[in-house]
């Protein structure tokens, strides 16, 4: 069974005003992301990439269709159950979304506090994560003192704190220069290869997907118009 399994999924945003039109942001999508994959979702702005990710993360609910994450059907779940599903999913963002009032340590510890993990256990976990992302020396630095690449490494450590099976990366290198992008992609490869975490990478940058993904789906107007191993999708016909 795939870790993420979407069947006939659509998401319609109702018209914002009486004479506006509804938007079919996701249109009858089937998708299987197997455990261990790095799966790229590419497409132009407005193609539906963010909506797709928000459906997997249960931040939006599908208008129709079925979404299974790690075997659990998430459409129609109550908020409490959804929270449990979200705890199994890590997420990193274009603008990092770090807490500026907290240090590097505080940012990585935050999800553990929310999950009720005890201080000693959390301390050990944070130390291990900062070691993994190469920021052990920066534990007590406030995040606005960090470079973009360092900030995203904090974002990755924070996302890993809850030991997710699935990591969602939403335009996670779009704010970074090419060199820093490669550094962050290298870290994501290690997250996949060394920790066995499945990753979905949403991006409008073809080069990012070519360099990191095993498989790719190309989205256009809410539909997947092409998909397969990266090598096949991006080779000239
Ligand atoms: P190359 O660098 O090999 O010329 P590109 O990276 O430009 O190829 O594009 C590879 C394939 O993906 C092409 O078939 C192209 O039409 C498609 N493509 C490129 N950019 C996008 C995008 N933003 N959204 C959807 N498809 C795209
Ligand atoms: P992408 O991430 O590929 O840029 P999005 O998923 O953000 O695409 O958007 C897909 C379509 O859905 C766009 O037409 C966008 O305007 C629309 N859309 C996204 N979120 C909302 C929302 N909350 N309300 C109404 N329309 C939305």
């Amino acid at each position: 069974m795939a870790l993420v399994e979407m069947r006939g999924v659509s998401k319609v945003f109702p018209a914002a005003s009486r004479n506006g039109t509804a938007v079919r942001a996701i249109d009858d999508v089937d998708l299987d992301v197997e455990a261990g994959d790095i799966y790229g979702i590419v497409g132009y702005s407005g193609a539906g990439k963010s909506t797709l990710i928000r459906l997997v993360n249960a931040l939006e609910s599908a208008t129709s269709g079925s979404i299974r994450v790690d075997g659990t059907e998430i459409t129609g779940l109550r908020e409490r159950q959804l929270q449990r599903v979200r705890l199994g999913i890590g997420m990193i963002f274009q603008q990092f979304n770090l807490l500026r009032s907290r240090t590097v340590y505080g940012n990585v510890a935050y999800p553990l506090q929310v999950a009720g993990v005890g201080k000693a256990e959390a301390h050990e976990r944070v130390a291990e994560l900062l070691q993994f992302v190469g920021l052990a020396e920066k534990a007590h630095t406030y995040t606005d003192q960090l470079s973009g690449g360092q900030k995203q490494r904090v974002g990755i450590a924070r996302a890993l704190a809850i030991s997710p099976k699935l990591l969602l990366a939403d335009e996670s290198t779009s704010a970074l220069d090419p060199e820093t992008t490669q550094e962050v992609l290298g870290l994501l490869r290690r997250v996949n290869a060394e920790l066995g975490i499945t990753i979905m990478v949403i991006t409008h940058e073809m080069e990012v997907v070519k360099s990191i993904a095993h498989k790719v789906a190309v989205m256009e107007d809410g539909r997947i118009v092409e998909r397969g191993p990266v090598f096949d999708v991006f080779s000239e016909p």
Side-chain angles (χ1 to χ4, degrees):
M1 189 191 4
L3 185 63
V4 177
E5 195 182 280
M6 305 179 89
R7 290 293 176 271
V9 173
S10 293
K11 174 66 181 179
V12 179
F13 291 107
S17 65
R18 193 187 303 197
N19 40 18
T21 46
V23 177
R24 187 168 283 271
I26 299 293
D27 187 5
D28 195 21
V29 162
D30 293 340
L31 181 69
D32 281 311
V33 178
E34 306 289 342
D37 276 349
I38 300 182
Y39 205 119
I41 310 280
V42 299
Y44 298 109
S45 175
K49 306 181 298 295
S50 300
T51 304
L52 187 85
I53 276 302
R54 292 171 62 78
L55 287 170
V56 172
N57 207 5
L59 290 171
E60 298 278 3
S61 56
T63 308
S64 56
S66 151
I67 305 173
R68 283 174 173 274
V69 178
D70 199 16
T72 302
E73 174 64 58
I74 64 169
T75 46
L77 284 188
R78 291 169 188 281
E79 189 54 32
R80 273 188 77 127
Q81 299 163 303
L82 285 176
Q83 278 172 8
R84 196 167 316 138
V85 172
R86 282 185 208 124
L87 273 180
I89 301 176
M91 184 122 181
I92 57 175
F93 308 90
Q94 178 169 8
Q95 295 302 333
F96 322 119
N97 296 12
L98 302 177
L99 299 166
R100 298 185 62 205
S101 60
R102 288 179 168 233
T103 61
V104 167
Y105 185 99
N107 271 273
V108 179
Y110 182 71
L112 296 169
Q113 287 169 3
V114 171
V117 174
K119 261 199 169 156
E121 190 186 338
H123 183 79
E124 203 169 307
R125 180 88 185 117
V126 173
E128 179 184 277
L129 286 162
L130 291 181
Q131 195 74 41
F132 182 78
V133 301
L135 287 176
E137 267 78 74
K138 299 281 183 189
H140 303 295
T141 304
Y142 282 88
T143 55
D144 50 9
Q145 310 287 324
L146 301 176
S147 69
Q150 290 171 331
K151 284 180 185 165
Q152 195 57 292
R153 285 193 271 150
V154 175
I156 291 169
R158 178 183 57 183
L160 297 180
I162 52 167
S163 305
K165 286 191 179 175
L166 176 65
L167 177 66
L168 306 178
D170 189 358
E171 299 287 358
S172 57
T173 56
S174 302
L176 305 175
D177 62 48
E179 196 177 319
T180 313
T181 292
Q182 285 311 316
E183 172 195 311
V184 168
L185 293 181
L187 179 54
L188 289 177
R189 276 189 206 100
R190 285 180 51 221
V191 167
N192 177 254
E194 294 174 27
L195 307 180
I197 294 174
T198 307
I199 305 180
M200 291 177 73
V201 176
I202 276 54
T203 183
H204 67 280
E205 298 175 301
M206 292 297 138
E207 290 314 314
V208 164
V209 148
K210 283 184 187 173
S211 98
I212 191 177
H214 310 136
K215 295 177 195 152
V216 62
V218 181
M219 290 193 73
E220 250 176 61
D221 293 333
R223 291 179 158 266
I224 294 178
V225 295
E226 208 180 340
R227 74 176 89 207
V230 167
F231 181 80
D232 295 346
V233 171
F234 290 128
S235 64
E236 296 303 321

